Amino acid sequence: NLHEMTNIALPVPPGFTITTEVCTYYYAHGRAYPKSLEKEVLSALTKVEKTMGARFGDATNPLLVSVRSGARASMPGMMDTILNLGLNDKTIIGIIQKTGNERFAYDSYRRFVQMYGDVVLGLKPQGKDDIDPFEEIIEHKKKEKGVKLDTELTADDLKDLVVKFKAAIKQKTGNDFPEDTLKQLWGAIGAV
């Protein structure tokens, strides 16, 4: 649909599509990507960088991307999305400088770590009665601060949530949250 909107000259952010044929190939070849995919993705990402005037992984002028799953047929509400991919402990500084809004930047960062942890790393409730591990951390933080709403949390609170989310990822997966933006991208591509 984004391509259709682009074709009729509606304003759509730049992007690229990895086709469902790649997914078919991936499963048919023992969970391996076509050899050309890495070069094609990096070439497409370079075009997006040029269009946006920002660089993926750059600490001063970072490009953030979204990775969305798709299907041959429309499946509203069934597909995974990861927003703000490219945030890390270095690029967050550039976002703060560009926006002048530390709270916004850390809220975006904590949401990204939460989405990545859920979609890519599988940190989600295991049963219908289980609480989301990230929501549990947020609820604890709100109780600690004596607030009811997420919007009442300060930039420092949100920064602390990022640290706590990453610690939960390390504890539950045994691996650190990926700071390397290309590792983030390939993790997201693999997940969706």
Side-chain angles (χ1 to χ4, degrees), residues 42-111:
L42 294 176
S43 174
L45 185 59
T46 298
K47 288 178 185 176
V48 172
E49 288 176 326
K50 286 180 184 173
T51 301
M52 295 302 297
R55 290 197 34 225
F56 189 64
D58 186 78
T60 57
N61 189 23
L63 171 69
L64 304 182
V65 299
S66 297
V67 178
R68 301 184 58 110
S69 59
R72 286 182 172 97
S74 180
M75 299 172 68
M78 299 300 294
M79 298 307 193
D80 289 318
T81 299
I82 303 163
L83 305 175
N84 304 316
L85 193 135
L87 279 172
N88 62 26
D89 291 342
K90 292 180 183 168
T91 59
I92 191 70
I93 308 288
I95 297 298
I96 292 167
Q97 290 172 344
K98 286 177 85 70
T99 65
N101 189 335
E102 186 179 30
R103 189 192 182 287
F104 164 77
Y106 276 106
D107 192 37
S108 298
Y109 195 7
R110 73 101 182 158
R111 289 173 189 274

Side-chain angles (χ1 to χ4, degrees), residues 90-154:
K90 292 180 183 168
T91 59
I92 191 70
I93 308 288
I95 297 298
I96 292 167
Q97 290 172 344
K98 286 177 85 70
T99 65
N101 189 335
E102 186 179 30
R103 189 192 182 287
F104 164 77
Y106 276 106
D107 192 37
S108 298
Y109 195 7
R110 73 101 182 158
R111 289 173 189 274
F112 165 58
V113 174
Q114 184 173 357
M115 278 185 264
Y116 196 92
D118 177 1
V119 174
V120 178
L121 303 175
L123 271 71
K124 55 182 94 191
Q126 298 302 309
K128 68 177 185 158
D129 296 326
D130 293 340
I131 187 167
D132 180 287
F134 297 109
E135 290 300 322
E136 186 174 29
I137 294 168
I138 292 170
E139 289 305 315
H140 183 266
K141 174 57 84 177
K142 289 191 304 191
K143 187 175 182 180
E144 172 189 303
K145 299 303 282 188
V147 300
K148 292 197 180 282
L149 304 173
D150 294 6
T151 55
E152 297 174 283
L153 295 172
T154 67

Side-chain angles (χ1 to χ4, degrees), residues 1 19-25 27 69-75 79:
N1 285 339
T19 66
T20 54
E21 284 78 16
V22 171
C23 185
T24 301
Y25 180 99
Y27 286 113
S69 59
R72 286 182 172 97
S74 180
M75 299 172 68
M79 298 307 193

